[in-house]
C-alpha cells in the first residue's frame, strides 16, 4: 500500500526519533492495546498507513521523563506498556500530579496548542511508548477521515477526563476522592483485560495525594480506614478491592 510522503522537515523529525538504542519498531496490528489506542475505529486495510507514521517504540525507565514542560512539541505518544504520570510545576517550584496514563492511552496532547509541552510525563514503572510524529499524523488525518475522527475523540476524552478531575478536587470529600481513584483504576484495568479487583498501585502515596489534592498523611489514613471497614485490603502498593459496591457508596447518605 502506498503511504504519504512526508515533507523534509517531518523526515528530519523521524530521523531524530530513531537514533536512540532504546527504540524499536512498533506495529499496531500486533499490539494488545490497539482496541483502546490510536487504531480504534480505523479500518484494518488502513492500519499499514498508520503503522508507517509510527516511527518507533521507545523504552522509558522508571523515573525517567518522556518529555518535560517547555520541551518543543513534535510528537504524540501512545503508551504501549507500563504507566506514566503527568506533572505540572507551580511558579514556586512545587509539582502537581495532573494525570495517570495507562497502556493504550495517549500522551502529549498538551503540546498541540503552543508547540511546547505544558507538563512533564514521567514513567511510574519501566514502560514503553509508541512515537507518532504530529506533522505526519496531520497528513494522514487529511487522507483518512476515521483517523481524524479518532484524534478528535482523543482530544475530547482528555477534556472530559480533566473536567471530571476538577469535579473530584472541587466537590468530593477526602474519602470520596480516594474511593473514586481506586474505582477508576479498577475500571481501567478491566478495560485492558486485567483484574479489576487486584492490582498494584504504581503511584506512590505522595503522588496520589498530589493528584487528589490531599496530604500524604490523609491518603494513608483514608486507605487504613477503608481497610478497617472491609472495603479494601492494602498491602503496600498492592490493593485488593473487597467491596466495590461499598466503595461506590462512600460518602453517600445513609438510608
Amino acid at each position: 500500500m502506498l503511504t504519504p510522503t512526508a515533507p523534509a522537515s517531518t523526515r528530519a523529525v523521524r530521523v531524530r526519533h530513531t537514533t536512540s538504542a532504546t527504540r524499536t519498531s512498533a506495529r499496531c496490528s500486533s499490539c494488545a492495546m490497539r482496541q483502546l489506542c490510536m487504531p480504534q475505529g480505523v479500518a484494518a486495510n488502513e492500519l499499514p498507513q498508520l503503522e508507517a507514521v509510527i516511527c518507533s517504540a521507545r523504552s522509558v525507565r522508571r523515573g525517567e521523563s518522556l518529555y518535560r514542560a517547555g520541551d518543543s512539541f513534535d510528537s504524540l505518544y501512545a503508551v504501549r506498556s507500563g504507566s506514566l504520570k503527568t506533572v505540572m510545576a507551580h511558579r514556586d517550584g512545587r509539582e502537581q500530579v495532573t494525570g495517570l496514563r495507562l497502556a493504550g492511552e495517549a500522551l502529549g496532547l498538551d503540546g498541540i496548542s503552543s508547540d511546547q509541552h505544558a507538563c512533564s510525563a514521567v514513567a511510574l514503572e519501566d514502560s514503553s511508548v509508541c512515537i507518532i510524529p504530529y506533522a505526519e499524523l496531520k497528513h494522514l488525518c487529511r487522507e483518512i477521515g476515521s483517523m481524524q475522527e479518532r484524534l478528535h475523540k482523543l482530544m475530547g476524552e482528555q477534556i472530559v477526563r480533566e473536567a471530571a478531575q476538577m469535579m473530584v478536587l472541587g466537590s468530593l470529600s477526602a474519602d470520596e476522592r480516594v474511593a473514586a481513584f481506586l474505582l477508576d483504576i479498577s475500571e481501567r484495568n478491566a478495560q485492558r483485560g486485567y483484574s479489576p479487583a487486584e492490582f498494584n498501585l504504581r503511584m506512590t502515596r505522595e503522588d496520589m495525594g498530589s493528584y487528589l489534592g490531599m496530604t500524604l498523611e490523609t491518603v494513608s489514613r483514608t486507605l487504613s480506614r477503608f481497610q478497617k471497614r472491609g472495603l479494601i485490603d492494602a498491602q503496600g502498593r498492592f490493593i485488593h478491592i473487597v467491596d466495590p459496591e461499598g466503595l461506590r457508596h462512600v460518602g453517600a447518605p445513609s438510608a
Side-chain angles (χ1 to χ4, degrees):
M1 179 177 292
L2 295 177
T3 56
T5 301
S9 59
T10 303
R11 289 198 297 272
V13 168
R14 174 170 291 187
V15 170
R16 181 167 69 250
H17 276 305
T18 55
T19 54
S20 171
T22 63
R23 290 164 189 171
T24 58
S25 62
R27 294 185 64 83
C28 299
S29 53
S30 61
C31 180
M33 293 295 119
R34 64 184 178 277
Q35 296 305 319
L36 294 170
C37 197
M38 293 293 291
Q40 188 184 80
V42 177
N45 64 343
E46 295 169 337
L47 270 183
Q49 289 177 271
L50 177 58
E51 289 177 334
V53 167
I54 300 174
C55 61
S56 62
R58 171 186 165 182
S59 297
V60 193
R61 300 298 297 270
R62 179 183 176 186
E64 180 186 353
S65 294
L66 174 63
Y67 55 80
R68 297 180 182 276
D71 284 354
S72 296
F73 166 76
D74 53 36
S75 295
L76 296 178
Y77 305 89
V79 183
R80 193 174 182 89
S81 65
S83 56
L84 296 92
K85 64 179 178 180
T86 53
V87 180
M88 294 189 76
H90 295 277
R91 291 182 180 178
D92 61 6
R94 288 178 299 156
E95 292 188 337
Q96 174 82 37
V97 177
T98 58
L100 171 65
R101 298 292 182 266
L102 305 180
E105 296 179 344
L107 276 163
L109 293 166
D110 59 286
I112 293 177
S113 63
S114 65
D115 294 324
Q116 284 188 327
H117 286 288
C119 63
S120 302
V122 181
L124 292 168
E125 57 188 309
D126 289 351
S127 306
S128 65
V129 298
C130 296
I131 303 170
I132 310 165
Y134 187 58
E136 293 188 38
L137 180 61
K138 287 195 295 183
H139 187 99
L140 183 61
C141 285
R142 289 193 289 269
E143 292 197 343
I144 303 177
S146 59
M147 192 68 248
Q148 184 174 51
E149 182 179 353
R150 178 59 181 148
L151 182 58
H152 289 164
K153 285 188 175 182
L154 286 173
M155 293 177 177
E157 287 169 6
Q158 180 152 319
I159 292 170
V160 170
R161 186 183 296 116
E162 291 176 354
Q165 183 64 10
M166 288 295 293
M167 184 189 74
V168 167
L169 295 176
S171 62
L172 300 187
S173 68
D175 282 11
E176 289 171 321
R177 293 181 197 186
V178 174
F181 175 77
L182 294 176
L183 290 170
D184 177 58
I185 299 297
S186 171
E187 291 165 6
R188 289 159 79 181
N189 277 345
Q191 290 175 344
R192 287 154 179 79
Y194 306 142
S195 171
E198 296 183 343
F199 47 85
N200 285 307
L201 283 176
R202 299 306 180 184
M203 277 188 177
T204 64
R205 300 288 194 265
E206 187 174 10
D207 281 342
M208 284 179 59
S210 177
Y211 183 54
L212 298 174
M214 301 161 57
T215 65
L216 167 64
E217 292 77 13
T218 301
V219 171
S220 297
R221 285 198 301 267
T222 303
L223 291 173
S224 296
R225 202 158 44 243
F226 285 178
Q227 181 148 337
K228 289 178 181 177
R229 291 170 57 183
L231 299 177
I232 65 171
D233 179 24
Q235 303 294 332
R237 293 194 183 187
F238 177 78
I239 300 292
H240 174 204
I241 296 181
V242 179
D243 183 3
E245 281 305 310
L247 273 184
R248 291 187 182 94
H249 289 91
V250 165
S254 301

